[in-house]
Amino acid sequence: MKKIKSPIEFKSIKREFILLNIPFDSNSRIPGAKISPSSILNYIHHNKALYFDNLNFYYNLSVLNNRIDLTFFNVEDISKKILSSNNKIFMIGGDHSLTYPIVKTLNEFSKFTLVVLDAHHDSHVSPTIKNWSFIRNLSSIINEIVIIGNREHYTEKPTNVNIIEIEKILLDSKSKDIQDILFNNISNRNIYLSIDIDVLDPAYFPGVSYPLIGGLDYITLKYTISLLFRHYNVLSLDLVEFNPMIEEKLSTTVMIQLIQHIDRSIKYVQVE
């Protein structure tokens, strides 16, 4: 993959997914997710057999002193530059709060449904934006939010947030049932896809800060992503919350395989 050294280069690229790496985890109670982007890139660079058909460019966003306000400002700024150049974002985090500034910026360009694959609903009440509260913050901006794979208890949620429990997927795990779940709950053709890797069961992916047992298996996650790319227009996406400080070897391998699967799925994205 070619490294983009300056945002000026975005203008020479058209209709590509730009891999945006953001080493930031200051909105998480447990540190380590900020190491994920460099861990993944190092793996890619040292494995020459890896190749990507559609992810041809990447950009590393510098994060200074873990400043939350400055980081969010910079994420919004670089997101605006990527989107205004008719490209799309594939963000590698980092903690899940990084979804907030990207989705907020994308909302200035298009209307869409936010589809989140996550073990947690991330809609807790907090005076500031955190990786456990950003969904509630976004619910005042985005009309429709669909969370798939939740296995965290909740008593109250924003009215425009639809939470699909993990049991619904695991008990209705035939391919047609998963497709029906998506079709019956996502009303917009355009989507932003946010993947918190802890949607996987810890047996398949132990390298997360907040593991919950009873999650998706890897094949079901791959199939769900394929369905979303085949039947919806994915405007941008992110993959977050891998924590190499918890576990690195198996989890890095799974992350690389998932990125390769997303790379192959991008071919289904509709050209506007």
Side-chain angles (χ1 to χ4, degrees):
M1 285 189 289
K2 176 186 175 183
K3 182 178 180 180
I4 299 173
K5 297 180 180 179
S6 168
I8 296 174
E9 296 182 55
F10 294 143
K11 295 181 180 180
S12 64
I13 305 166
K14 296 298 180 185
R15 303 192 186 280
E16 295 277 3
F17 272 83
I18 308 296
L19 199 63
L20 177 62
N21 302 293
I22 309 178
F24 175 86
D25 61 9
S26 293
N27 283 331
S28 174
R29 295 187 180 99
I30 300 175
K34 68 180 179 182
I35 304 171
S36 172
S38 61
S39 177
I40 292 167
L41 279 178
N42 286 338
Y43 188 100
I44 292 173
H45 289 160
H46 288 91
N47 288 268
K48 303 302 182 183
L50 289 174
Y51 68 93
F52 300 90
D53 294 324
N54 301 290
L55 294 173
N56 301 312
F57 306 92
Y58 72 95
Y59 182 82
N60 294 329
L61 184 69
S62 297
V63 176
L64 299 176
N65 302 321
N66 287 328
R67 281 275 304 275
I68 296 171
D69 55 346
L70 183 59
T71 297
F72 275 29
F73 176 84
N74 289 339
V75 173
E76 289 185 30
D77 181 63
I78 201 68
S79 297
K80 194 167 295 185
K81 287 180 170 67
I82 293 173
L83 296 169
S84 62
S85 63
N86 291 319
N87 291 298
K88 300 186 178 188
I89 299 166
F90 179 8
M91 183 268 283
I92 301 290
D95 74 52
H96 211 164
S97 69
L98 290 168
T99 300
Y100 178 87
I102 298 178
V103 167
K104 180 185 174 194
T105 304
L106 180 61
N107 191 54
E108 299 174 12
F109 291 81
S110 304
K111 297 304 177 185
F112 55 92
T113 295
L114 171 58
V115 179
V116 185
L117 307 181
D118 200 335
H120 309 85
H121 55 80
D122 293 337
S123 58
H124 297 285
V125 177
S126 172
T128 58
I129 299 170
K130 299 292 185 181
N131 65 342
W132 67 86
S133 68
F134 77 96
I135 290 293
R136 182 171 294 273
N137 302 108
L138 283 173
S139 67
S140 63
I141 303 172
I142 307 301
N143 291 331
E144 182 178 73
I145 301 174
V146 179
I147 302 172
I148 300 171
N150 178 68
R151 44 194 192 273
E152 179 185 29
H153 176 71
Y154 65 93
T155 56
E156 185 269 339
K157 64 178 181 63
T159 56
N160 58 331
V161 176
N162 184 7
I163 300 177
I164 302 172
E165 305 292 345
I166 191 67
E167 291 84 358
K168 179 66 177 174
I169 299 173
L170 295 181
L171 296 178
D172 298 336
S173 58
K174 294 179 181 178
S175 60
K176 186 177 185 301
D177 293 325
I178 295 176
Q179 184 168 302
D180 288 344
I181 290 171
L182 299 179
F183 289 176
N184 292 336
N185 288 280
I186 303 172
S187 63
N188 202 318
R189 186 180 70 87
N190 294 331
I191 67 170
Y192 179 98
L193 175 59
S194 180
I195 306 168
D196 186 326
I197 198 62
D198 69 16
V199 73
L200 285 172
D201 189 89
Y204 299 95
F205 199 97
V208 295
S209 300
Y210 306 98
L212 290 174
I213 62 171
L216 295 182
D217 61 64
Y218 180 69
I219 298 301
T220 304
L221 176 58
K222 277 183 61 178
Y223 183 72
T224 303
I225 292 170
S226 295
L227 283 174
L228 289 168
F229 271 95
R230 284 176 180 267
H231 297 287
Y232 297 91
N233 184 26
V234 180
L235 299 178
S236 286
L237 76 151
D238 63 57
L239 180 58
V240 297
E241 293 289 353
F242 167 35
N243 188 339
M245 291 179 64
I246 304 295
E247 196 281 332
E248 185 170 18
K249 187 174 182 180
L250 171 62
S251 300
T252 299
T253 302
V254 176
M255 283 288 282
I256 295 298
Q257 288 182 314
L258 195 58
I259 292 170
Q260 286 184 303
H261 175 69
I262 292 170
D263 172 65
R264 291 190 292 269
S265 300
I266 285 173
K267 67 183 180 182
Y268 297 113
V269 173
Q270 301 174 38
V271 177
E272 296 178 342

Coordinates of all heavy atoms in Angstrom, one line a residue, residues 137-181:
N137 N -24.4 10.3 22.1 CA -24.0 11.6 21.6 C -24.4 11.7 20.1 O -24.9 12.7 19.6 CB -22.5 11.9 21.7 CG -22.0 11.8 23.1 OD1 -21.4 10.9 23.5 ND2 -22.4 12.8 23.9
L138 N -24.2 10.6 19.4 CA -24.5 10.6 17.9 C -26.0 10.5 17.7 O -26.5 10.9 16.6 CB -23.8 9.4 17.2 CG -22.3 9.6 16.9 CD1 -21.8 8.3 16.4 CD2 -22.1 10.8 15.9
S139 N -26.8 10.1 18.7 CA -28.2 9.9 18.5 C -28.9 11.2 18.3 O -30.1 11.3 17.7 CB -28.9 9.1 19.6 OG -28.8 9.9 20.8
S140 N -28.3 12.3 18.7 CA -28.9 13.7 18.4 C -28.5 14.2 17.0 O -29.1 15.2 16.6 CB -28.4 14.6 19.5 OG -27.0 14.8 19.4
I141 N -27.7 13.5 16.3 CA -27.2 13.9 15.0 C -27.8 13.0 13.9 O -28.2 13.4 12.8 CB -25.7 13.9 14.9 CG1 -25.1 14.9 16.0 CG2 -25.2 14.4 13.5 CD1 -23.6 14.8 16.1
I142 N -27.7 11.7 14.1 CA -28.1 10.7 13.2 C -29.5 10.1 13.4 O -29.8 9.8 14.6 CB -27.1 9.5 13.2 CG1 -25.6 10.0 13.1 CG2 -27.4 8.5 12.1 CD1 -25.4 10.8 11.8
N143 N -30.3 10.1 12.4 CA -31.7 9.7 12.6 C -31.9 8.2 12.9 O -32.8 7.9 13.6 CB -32.5 10.1 11.3 CG -32.6 11.6 11.1 OD1 -32.6 12.3 12.1 ND2 -32.7 12.0 9.9
E144 N -31.1 7.4 12.3 CA -31.3 5.9 12.5 C -29.9 5.3 12.9 O -29.0 5.4 12.1 CB -31.9 5.3 11.3 CG -32.1 3.8 11.5 CD -32.8 3.2 10.2 OE1 -32.1 3.0 9.2 OE2 -34.0 2.9 10.3
I145 N -29.9 4.6 14.0 CA -28.7 3.9 14.5 C -29.1 2.5 14.8 O -30.1 2.2 15.5 CB -28.1 4.5 15.7 CG1 -27.6 6.0 15.4 CG2 -26.9 3.7 16.2 CD1 -27.1 6.8 16.6
V146 N -28.4 1.5 14.2 CA -28.7 0.1 14.4 C -27.5 -0.6 15.0 O -26.4 -0.6 14.4 CB -29.1 -0.6 13.1 CG1 -29.4 -2.1 13.4 CG2 -30.3 0.1 12.5
I147 N -27.6 -1.2 16.2 CA -26.5 -1.9 16.8 C -26.8 -3.4 16.8 O -27.8 -3.8 17.2 CB -26.4 -1.4 18.3 CG1 -26.1 0.1 18.4 CG2 -25.2 -2.2 19.0 CD1 -26.2 0.6 19.8
I148 N -25.8 -4.1 16.2 CA -26.0 -5.5 16.0 C -25.0 -6.3 16.8 O -23.8 -6.0 16.7 CB -25.8 -5.9 14.5 CG1 -26.9 -5.1 13.6 CG2 -25.9 -7.4 14.3 CD1 -26.6 -5.3 12.2
G149 N -25.5 -7.3 17.6 CA -24.6 -8.1 18.4 C -24.5 -7.8 19.9 O -23.6 -8.3 20.6
N150 N -25.3 -6.8 20.4 CA -25.2 -6.4 21.8 C -25.4 -7.6 22.7 O -26.3 -8.4 22.5 CB -26.2 -5.3 22.0 CG -26.1 -4.9 23.5 OD1 -25.2 -4.3 23.9 ND2 -27.2 -5.2 24.3
R151 N -24.6 -7.6 23.8 CA -24.8 -8.6 24.8 C -24.5 -7.9 26.2 O -24.2 -8.6 27.2 CB -23.9 -9.8 24.7 CG -22.5 -9.6 24.2 CD -21.9 -11.0 23.8 NE -20.5 -10.9 23.6 CZ -19.9 -10.5 22.5 NH1 -20.6 -10.1 21.4 NH2 -18.5 -10.6 22.4
E152 N -24.8 -6.6 26.2 CA -24.6 -5.8 27.5 C -26.0 -5.4 27.9 O -26.9 -5.0 27.1 CB -23.8 -4.6 27.2 CG -23.6 -3.7 28.4 CD -22.8 -2.4 28.1 OE1 -22.9 -2.0 26.9 OE2 -22.2 -1.9 29.0
H153 N -26.3 -5.5 29.2 CA -27.6 -5.1 29.8 C -27.8 -3.6 29.6 O -26.9 -2.8 29.8 CB -27.7 -5.5 31.2 CG -29.0 -5.1 31.9 ND1 -30.2 -5.6 31.6 CD2 -29.2 -4.1 32.8 CE1 -31.1 -5.0 32.3 NE2 -30.6 -4.1 33.0
Y154 N -29.0 -3.2 29.3 CA -29.4 -1.8 29.3 C -30.8 -1.7 29.8 O -31.7 -2.6 29.6 CB -29.2 -1.2 27.9 CG -30.1 -1.8 26.9 CD1 -31.3 -1.2 26.6 CD2 -29.8 -2.9 26.2 CE1 -32.2 -1.7 25.6 CE2 -30.6 -3.4 25.2 CZ -31.8 -2.8 24.9 OH -32.6 -3.3 24.0
T155 N -31.1 -0.5 30.4 CA -32.5 -0.3 30.9 C -33.2 0.9 30.1 O -34.4 1.0 30.1 CB -32.5 0.1 32.4 OG1 -31.6 1.2 32.5 CG2 -32.0 -1.0 33.2
E156 N -32.4 1.7 29.4 CA -32.9 2.8 28.7 C -31.9 3.2 27.5 O -30.7 3.0 27.7 CB -33.1 4.0 29.6 CG -33.7 5.2 29.0 CD -32.7 6.2 28.4 OE1 -31.5 6.2 28.8 OE2 -33.1 7.0 27.5
K157 N -32.5 3.6 26.4 CA -31.7 4.0 25.3 C -32.4 5.1 24.5 O -33.6 5.3 24.6 CB -31.5 2.8 24.3 CG -32.8 2.3 23.7 CD -32.5 1.1 22.8 CE -33.8 0.6 22.1 NZ -34.4 1.6 21.3
P158 N -31.7 5.8 23.7 CA -32.3 6.8 22.8 C -33.3 6.2 21.9 O -33.1 5.0 21.4 CB -31.1 7.4 22.0 CG -29.9 7.2 22.9 CD -30.2 5.9 23.6
T159 N -34.4 6.8 21.6 CA -35.5 6.2 20.8 C -35.1 5.9 19.4 O -35.7 5.0 18.8 CB -36.7 7.2 20.8 OG1 -36.3 8.5 20.2 CG2 -37.2 7.4 22.2
N160 N -34.1 6.5 18.8 CA -33.7 6.2 17.4 C -32.6 5.2 17.3 O -32.0 5.1 16.3 CB -33.4 7.5 16.7 CG -32.2 8.3 17.3 OD1 -32.0 8.2 18.6 ND2 -31.5 9.0 16.6
V161 N -32.3 4.6 18.5 CA -31.3 3.5 18.5 C -31.9 2.2 18.6 O -32.6 1.9 19.6 CB -30.3 3.7 19.7 CG1 -29.3 2.6 19.7 CG2 -29.5 5.1 19.5
N162 N -31.7 1.3 17.6 CA -32.3 0.0 17.5 C -31.2 -1.0 17.9 O -30.3 -1.2 17.2 CB -32.9 -0.3 16.2 CG -33.6 -1.6 16.1 OD1 -33.8 -2.3 17.1 ND2 -34.0 -2.0 14.9
I163 N -31.4 -1.7 19.0 CA -30.4 -2.6 19.5 C -30.9 -4.1 19.2 O -31.9 -4.5 19.7 CB -30.1 -2.5 21.0 CG1 -29.6 -1.0 21.3 CG2 -29.1 -3.5 21.5 CD1 -29.4 -0.7 22.8
I164 N -30.1 -4.8 18.4 CA -30.4 -6.2 18.1 C -29.5 -7.1 18.9 O -28.3 -7.1 18.8 CB -30.1 -6.4 16.6 CG1 -31.0 -5.5 15.7 CG2 -30.4 -7.9 16.2 CD1 -30.7 -5.6 14.3
E165 N -30.1 -7.8 19.9 CA -29.4 -8.6 20.8 C -28.7 -9.8 20.1 O -29.1 -10.2 19.1 CB -30.3 -9.1 21.9 CG -31.1 -8.1 22.6 CD -30.2 -7.2 23.5 OE1 -29.1 -7.6 23.7 OE2 -30.7 -6.1 23.9
I166 N -27.6 -10.2 20.7 CA -26.8 -11.3 20.1 C -27.6 -12.6 20.0 O -27.4 -13.3 19.0 CB -25.5 -11.6 21.0 CG1 -24.6 -12.5 20.2 CG2 -25.9 -12.1 22.4 CD1 -23.9 -11.9 19.0
E167 N -28.6 -12.8 20.9 CA -29.4 -14.0 20.8 C -30.2 -14.1 19.5 O -30.4 -15.2 19.0 CB -30.3 -14.1 22.0 CG -29.7 -14.3 23.3 CD -29.1 -13.1 24.0 OE1 -29.3 -12.0 23.4 OE2 -28.6 -13.2 25.1
K168 N -30.6 -12.9 19.0 CA -31.4 -12.9 17.8 C -30.6 -13.4 16.6 O -31.1 -14.1 15.8 CB -31.8 -11.4 17.5 CG -32.7 -11.2 16.3 CD -34.0 -11.9 16.3 CE -34.8 -11.7 15.1 NZ -36.1 -12.5 15.1
I169 N -29.3 -13.1 16.6 CA -28.4 -13.5 15.5 C -28.0 -15.0 15.7 O -28.1 -15.8 14.8 CB -27.2 -12.7 15.5 CG1 -27.6 -11.2 15.2 CG2 -26.2 -13.2 14.4 CD1 -26.4 -10.2 15.2
L170 N -27.6 -15.4 16.9 CA -27.1 -16.7 17.2 C -28.3 -17.8 17.0 O -28.0 -18.9 16.6 CB -26.5 -16.8 18.5 CG -25.2 -16.0 18.7 CD1 -24.6 -16.2 20.1 CD2 -24.2 -16.3 17.6
L171 N -29.5 -17.4 17.5 CA -30.6 -18.3 17.4 C -31.2 -18.4 16.0 O -31.9 -19.3 15.6 CB -31.6 -18.0 18.4 CG -31.2 -18.1 19.9 CD1 -32.3 -17.7 20.9 CD2 -30.7 -19.5 20.2
D172 N -31.0 -17.3 15.2 CA -31.5 -17.2 13.8 C -30.3 -17.1 12.9 O -30.2 -16.2 12.1 CB -32.4 -16.0 13.6 CG -33.7 -16.1 14.5 OD1 -34.1 -17.2 14.9 OD2 -34.2 -15.0 14.8
S173 N -29.4 -18.1 13.0 CA -28.1 -18.0 12.4 C -28.0 -18.5 10.9 O -27.0 -18.5 10.3 CB -27.0 -18.7 13.2 OG -27.4 -20.1 13.3
K174 N -29.2 -18.9 10.4 CA -29.2 -19.3 9.0 C -29.0 -18.0 8.1 O -29.4 -16.9 8.5 CB -30.5 -20.0 8.6 CG -30.7 -21.3 9.3 CD -32.0 -22.0 8.9 CE -32.2 -23.3 9.6 NZ -33.5 -23.9 9.3
S175 N -28.4 -18.2 7.0 CA -28.0 -17.0 6.2 C -29.2 -16.2 5.9 O -29.2 -14.9 5.9 CB -27.3 -17.4 4.9 OG -28.2 -18.3 4.1
K176 N -30.3 -16.8 5.5 CA -31.5 -16.0 5.2 C -32.0 -15.2 6.4 O -32.5 -14.1 6.2 CB -32.6 -16.9 4.6 CG -33.9 -16.2 4.1 CD -34.9 -17.1 3.5 CE -36.0 -16.3 2.9 NZ -36.7 -15.4 3.9
D177 N -31.9 -15.8 7.6 CA -32.4 -15.1 8.8 C -31.5 -13.9 9.1 O -32.0 -12.8 9.4 CB -32.3 -16.0 10.0 CG -33.4 -17.2 9.8 OD1 -34.4 -16.9 9.3 OD2 -33.1 -18.3 10.3
I178 N -30.2 -14.0 8.9 CA -29.3 -12.8 9.1 C -29.7 -11.7 8.1 O -29.7 -10.5 8.4 CB -27.8 -13.2 9.0 CG1 -27.5 -14.2 10.1 CG2 -26.9 -12.0 9.0 CD1 -26.1 -14.7 10.0
Q179 N -29.9 -12.1 6.8 CA -30.2 -11.2 5.8 C -31.5 -10.5 6.2 O -31.7 -9.3 6.0 CB -30.3 -11.9 4.5 CG -30.6 -11.0 3.3 CD -30.4 -11.7 2.0 OE1 -29.4 -12.2 1.7 NE2 -31.5 -11.7 1.2
D180 N -32.5 -11.2 6.6 CA -33.8 -10.6 7.0 C -33.6 -9.7 8.2 O -34.3 -8.6 8.2 CB -34.8 -11.8 7.4 CG -35.3 -12.6 6.2 OD1 -35.1 -12.1 5.1 OD2 -35.8 -13.7 6.4
I181 N -32.8 -10.0 9.2 CA -32.5 -9.1 10.3 C -32.0 -7.8 9.8 O -32.5 -6.7 10.2 CB -31.5 -9.7 11.3 CG1 -32.1 -10.9 12.0 CG2 -31.0 -8.7 12.3 CD1 -31.2 -11.7 12.8

